[in-house]
Amino acid sequence: QSQFSCDHQCNAPDKWNHAHSDCEGKYQSPINIVTRKTSKDERLTPFQFDNYQQTFRGTIKNNGHSVQVGVPHLSTVSDGGLPTSYKAVQFHLHWGDNGGPGSEHTIDGEQYPMELHIVHMKHHYTDLITALSDPEGVAVLGFFYERSNSANRKYDPIINALQSIKATNGNTSLIPMSLAQLIPAEQNLTTYYRYKGSLTTPGCTEAVIWTLFENPIPLSMAQLRVFSELKFHDEKQMVGTFRPVQPLNGRQVFRSGG
Ligand code: SG4
Ligand code: ZN
């Protein structure tokens, strides 16, 4: 994506707002979620995940601001208070410096070491650009990570592949894996937060239904540190790939309760 160049301050909105007027919008992401100010909504029922168990052979790419994996559109989510079903398009991550604070969203001010975004679009769209012209066109499922003492072997395909894509535009194929293996078991995904916001990178389009799951994914410190070996365009260490939290501007954040 040549629309923005990223350094340590890839995030600094003061650097992009002039070039990307949408990044000055009123309903921006990420946000800090103040749990005592969330309101429980019984329409926020558990999600239905379809074909999340399906294995696929993805390509993982260092796109100069993140690592990203395109996924076959056959994995879908519905329910969970979503207006319709959404199909998975890609996933990517945001992280800190060698396992330090790195998530985009924060919970009661706590920043987790990393955050996974599985980007979905409404089932009838065929590309993300079109979906972004619909105010509810995109649904991102966000997951936090926590440091654990033992390595999470389900992440081996991703972590091992990072070795081959340290340089910007590097890409390599993944051994077959599923989306389900990256996230907590379905019964541990019933507690989540919901609000309406934007993409966290330019153009910052306000077309995203955000879900943040409460239960984090465990990764060892050694696994987290591998992400900091990646390089930005300018050869600098790819660390701190998160945008700072943005004002709520009166938005309500809901929590699951169905
Ligand atoms: C990351 O930079 C991804 O690599 C981008 O994917 C993604 O843009 C961007 O984050 C914003 O997504 O869930 N954090 S976010 O709001 O999904 C899009 C690509 O550049 C459009 C394709
Ligand atoms: Zn993201």
Side-chain angles (χ1 to χ4, degrees):
Q1 227 88 355
S2 58
Q3 56 177 344
F4 90 120
S5 66
C6 202
D7 58 25
H8 274 60
Q9 296 306 315
C10 147
N11 319 305
D14 52 323
K15 290 211 180 138
W16 336 309
N17 286 355
H18 310 286
H20 306 278
S21 57
D22 284 353
C23 298
E24 297 175 309
K26 284 258 177 263
Y27 303 113
Q28 290 290 291
S29 295
I31 58 165
N32 174 42
I33 295 170
V34 180
T35 55
R36 69 179 164 76
K37 288 191 182 164
T38 60
S39 61
K40 186 169 164 151
D41 185 342
E42 80 268 357
R43 287 168 302 182
L44 299 184
T45 56
F47 283 89
Q48 170 151 348
F49 295 93
D50 284 305
N51 287 320
Y52 257 58
Q53 306 279 353
Q54 182 108 16
T55 59
F56 62 93
R57 292 167 185 274
T59 298
I60 187 166
K61 183 175 182 189
N62 173 341
N63 64 14
H65 43 103
S66 185
V67 284
Q68 190 177 308
V69 179
V71 303
H73 294 176
L74 34 86
S75 300
T76 63
V77 279
S78 53
D79 297 334
L82 295 174
T84 181
S85 85
Y86 288 70
K87 55 191 179 190
V89 183
Q90 52 107 327
F91 67 86
H92 62 267
L93 298 126
H94 302 267
W95 61 88
D97 188 345
N98 279 293
S103 66
E104 296 213 292
H105 291 87
T106 58
I107 305 283
D108 294 325
E110 185 187 353
Q111 190 178 16
Y112 293 83
M114 191 157 74
E115 186 172 330
L116 167 66
H117 290 157
I118 309 181
V119 180
H120 299 72
M121 62 187 173
K122 265 186 193 170
H123 67 275
H124 60 270
Y125 293 124
T126 53
D127 65 278
L128 215 44
I129 308 290
T130 315
L132 286 167
S133 64
D134 172 344
E136 296 189 328
V138 173
V140 182
L141 302 188
F143 302 83
F144 298 111
Y145 291 81
E146 67 179 359
R147 281 177 285 272
S148 62
N149 290 323
S150 51
N152 180 345
R153 290 291 154 220
K154 293 176 178 168
Y155 269 72
D156 281 349
I158 304 280
I159 307 284
N160 294 339
L162 295 179
Q163 312 295 342
S164 339
I165 58 160
K166 287 185 183 174
T168 290
N169 291 325
N171 66 86
T172 189
S173 40
L174 291 168
I175 63 166
M177 51 155 284
S178 68
L179 290 177
Q181 89 188 58
L182 298 179
I183 63 177
E186 208 167 316
Q187 69 268 22
N188 298 320
L189 295 175
T190 54
T191 309
Y192 59 87
Y193 301 102
R194 163 65 45 77
Y195 78 101
K196 289 200 181 161
S198 72
L199 295 179
T200 66
T201 62
C204 306
T205 321
E206 294 177 343
V208 182
I209 300 178
W210 277 97
T211 304
L212 287 314
F213 292 95
E214 186 185 66
N215 279 328
I217 301 163
L219 277 191
S220 70
M221 193 62 174
Q223 289 181 307
L224 286 165
R225 292 173 90 104
V226 181
F227 289 88
S228 295
E229 293 175 21
L230 299 173
K231 301 274 190 276
F232 286 129
H233 260 297
D234 57 7
E235 300 287 300
K236 286 196 181 116
Q237 254 190 300
M238 188 182 280
V239 295
T241 58
F242 55 90
R243 186 188 194 190
V245 295
Q246 302 294 307
L248 260 184
N249 291 324
R251 282 174 290 178
Q252 178 67 49
V253 181
F254 300 93
R255 65 172 189 280
S256 56

